[in-house]
């Protein structure tokens, strides 16, 4: 939906902050566990939707996919 894409753009700073909060709260070992990245992706989608719902009344993000994944 084009509206959701626009909302993501409009609230990019808040969404990035929510994503960083989730990443910081994720222990390194969790992403190496079976299903760990999948659980993280679900938490990220939920965090993004919370920002959108708070600001626009509707989330609209179904899933988060990783292009690359680097753990430092």
């Amino acid at each position: 939906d084009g509206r959701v894409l626009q909302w993501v753009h409009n609230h990019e700073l808040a969404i990035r902050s929510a994503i960083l909060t989730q990443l910081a709260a994720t222990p390194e070992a969790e992403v190496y566990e079976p299903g760990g990245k999948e659980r993280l992706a679900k938490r990220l989608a939920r965090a993004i939707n919370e920002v959108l719902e708070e600001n626009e009344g509707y989330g609209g993000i179904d899933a988060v996919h990783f292009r690359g994944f680097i753990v430092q």
Side-chain angles (χ1 to χ4, degrees), residues 44-66:
L44 292 175
R46 191 169 38 250
I48 295 167
N49 280 326
E50 286 174 4
V51 170
L52 294 177
E53 289 168 4
E54 181 180 313
N55 291 286
E56 300 295 341
Y58 177 73
I61 301 298
D62 295 326
V64 170
H65 302 277
F66 301 109

Side-chain angles (χ1 to χ4, degrees), residues 4-33:
V4 174
L5 292 175
Q6 185 61 46
W7 295 340
V8 168
H9 177 73
N10 291 347
H11 304 290
E12 183 177 354
L13 185 60
I15 289 170
R16 283 178 182 256
S17 180
I19 288 171
L20 289 173
T21 299
Q22 288 299 314
L23 291 175
T26 303
E28 180 181 338
E30 183 178 335
V31 296
Y32 291 115
E33 295 173 7

